[in-house]
Amino acid sequence: MVCTNNQSPLFIEPGMNTFQCNWGKTLSFFTVFVVALAAVFQYLEISETVEIPRMDLNAMEENYRQKNRTCFILGASGETGKALLKEIVEHNIFSKITLIGRRQLTFEDKAYENLVQKVVDFEKLEEYAEAFQGHDVGYCCLGTTKAKAGAEGFVRVDHDYVLKSAELAKAGGCSHFHLESSKGADKTSSFLYLKTKGQVEAEIEELGFERFSIYRPAVLLVDRQESRPAEWMARKFLGAFSSVFPTAMSIPITSVARAIFVNTLKDGEQKVEILENKAIYELGRIGDKK
């Protein structure tokens, strides 16, 4: 008996049933699919070239610490915000760290006991301008999903809250604003998620910060506390490829946090800088090797 597919004939011994024949077809198709996917990932991996200069992070940290700067973090209860806060607290580069959020956070580690927390109502942010005053650096890790908040809720959080926070930060004296965005962000995109991310990037740029750093990570590899089924499946699938193609379609959330931290220490070469996934990954590796 012979079972054929588009690739090559499969010779089946007498007695093999239709199920076994179909299984052969499925296996052949899956093999071709994996090879094609690997080729795509390899292309994405090498399509973006990044050159990271050598850095003495110890010296950079000490130099930055001497500037006696302060910062605020928006979204410290989220996964990126938590990882970023951990980096900043451990390296102790700011004289004051303020968390701005909708609720008070609790920490067991004594390293967090000197944090200042400002609870705000994001629907009435203009009434909380004081919370944004007097900070040199601002980190924005706010974000939700369309599945969780609906289309209107998503735009309200990822655009309206973020933009208003940036406006208040600029008015309050913030000179360096960091924004966690997304790979593929584009204000002209037909996809709501990418369009919203791109629009808020462009509108914050117009505010004229002395330095505006935009981070566009791909799928974040992290075990979230909240349930996001689609993202969970993507992480499981992409995680299998991440060891071979670490920057093609995903990135560990710890790498994002370290990259933001390292980029804070660097002197800005441009007023507005966009760090795509590979650049984020490479900066994160520097932080990891310190």
Side-chain angles (χ1 to χ4, degrees), residues 98-117:
T98 300
L99 307 184
I100 302 176
R102 59 184 177 83
R103 60 185 174 86
Q104 193 86 4
L105 302 181
T106 57
F107 302 95
E108 296 181 359
D109 194 328
K110 290 186 177 180
Y112 294 79
E113 62 184 3
N114 292 325
L115 296 177
V116 176
Q117 297 199 50

Side-chain angles (χ1 to χ4, degrees), residues 85-129:
L85 176 60
K86 184 175 183 292
E87 288 285 336
I88 290 174
V89 168
E90 286 183 351
H91 293 277
N92 191 32
I93 60 172
F94 291 105
S95 60
K96 179 182 177 182
I97 303 170
T98 300
L99 307 184
I100 302 176
R102 59 184 177 83
R103 60 185 174 86
Q104 193 86 4
L105 302 181
T106 57
F107 302 95
E108 296 181 359
D109 194 328
K110 290 186 177 180
Y112 294 79
E113 62 184 3
N114 292 325
L115 296 177
V116 176
Q117 297 199 50
K118 300 286 186 178
V119 177
V120 302
D121 182 350
F122 283 98
E123 292 294 328
K124 303 175 182 178
L125 266 183
E126 64 279 355
E127 299 179 9
Y128 298 87

Side-chain angles (χ1 to χ4, degrees), residues 50-282:
V50 177
E51 293 185 6
I52 303 296
R54 294 177 61 88
M55 301 180 192
D56 183 346
L57 286 190
N58 287 319
M60 292 170 66
E61 284 184 27
E62 183 58 31
N63 179 61
Y64 198 91
R65 197 174 291 118
Q66 295 301 317
K67 296 177 181 179
N68 196 36
R69 290 178 175 172
T70 64
C71 77
F72 71 82
I73 301 177
L74 286 158
S77 61
E79 300 300 339
T80 304
K82 284 189 293 187
L84 176 61
L85 176 60
K86 184 175 183 292
E87 288 285 336
I88 290 174
V89 168
E90 286 183 351
H91 293 277
N92 191 32
I93 60 172
F94 291 105
S95 60
K96 179 182 177 182
I97 303 170
T98 300
L99 307 184
I100 302 176
R102 59 184 177 83
R103 60 185 174 86
Q104 193 86 4
L105 302 181
T106 57
F107 302 95
E108 296 181 359
D109 194 328
K110 290 186 177 180
Y112 294 79
E113 62 184 3
N114 292 325
L115 296 177
V116 176
Q117 297 199 50
K118 300 286 186 178
V119 177
V120 302
D121 182 350
F122 283 98
E123 292 294 328
K124 303 175 182 178
L125 266 183
E126 64 279 355
E127 299 179 9
Y128 298 87
E130 179 273 334
F132 293 86
Q133 293 178 356
H135 307 291
D136 300 294
V137 181
Y139 300 98
C140 183
C141 303
L142 285 178
T144 186
T145 64
K146 182 179 176 181
K148 181 180 179 180
E152 291 185 4
F154 164 72
V155 173
R156 187 163 63 251
V157 174
D158 284 56
H159 178 274
D160 300 351
Y161 292 176
V162 170
L163 180 58
K164 188 61 179 179
S165 297
E167 291 173 348
L168 293 174
K170 181 65 167 61
C174 177
S175 58
H176 188 184
F177 192 81
H178 300 256
L179 175 66
E180 181 187 20
S181 185
S182 171
K183 181 180 179 70
D186 181 356
K187 64 181 180 181
T188 66
S189 174
S190 58
F191 294 98
L192 178 65
Y193 182 84
L194 299 180
K195 181 178 181 179
T196 301
K197 294 293 188 181
Q199 285 177 333
V200 80
E201 286 181 4
E203 291 169 9
I204 292 177
E205 180 178 348
E206 293 176 359
L207 297 179
F209 283 97
E210 291 181 24
R211 185 180 175 193
F212 179 32
S213 301
I214 301 169
Y215 305 87
R216 292 179 176 174
V219 176
L220 299 173
L221 298 179
V222 59
D223 292 326
R224 291 187 184 274
Q225 293 182 350
E226 65 177 287
S227 177
R228 294 184 180 181
E231 193 173 280
W232 180 86
M233 291 180 64
R235 289 198 306 271
K236 292 298 182 182
F237 177 74
L238 294 173
F241 291 89
S242 62
S243 60
V244 182
F245 308 107
T247 67
M249 292 294 291
S250 62
I251 188 169
I253 205 162
T254 51
S255 294
V256 178
R258 289 190 184 109
I260 297 174
F261 165 73
V262 172
N263 197 43
T264 300
L265 303 176
K266 290 176 55 185
D267 292 327
E269 298 177 357
Q270 298 177 332
K271 187 173 183 178
V272 179
E273 56 186 356
I274 299 176
L275 284 77
E276 298 289 353
N277 197 58
K278 190 165 188 176
I280 297 171
Y281 178 80
E282 294 298 336

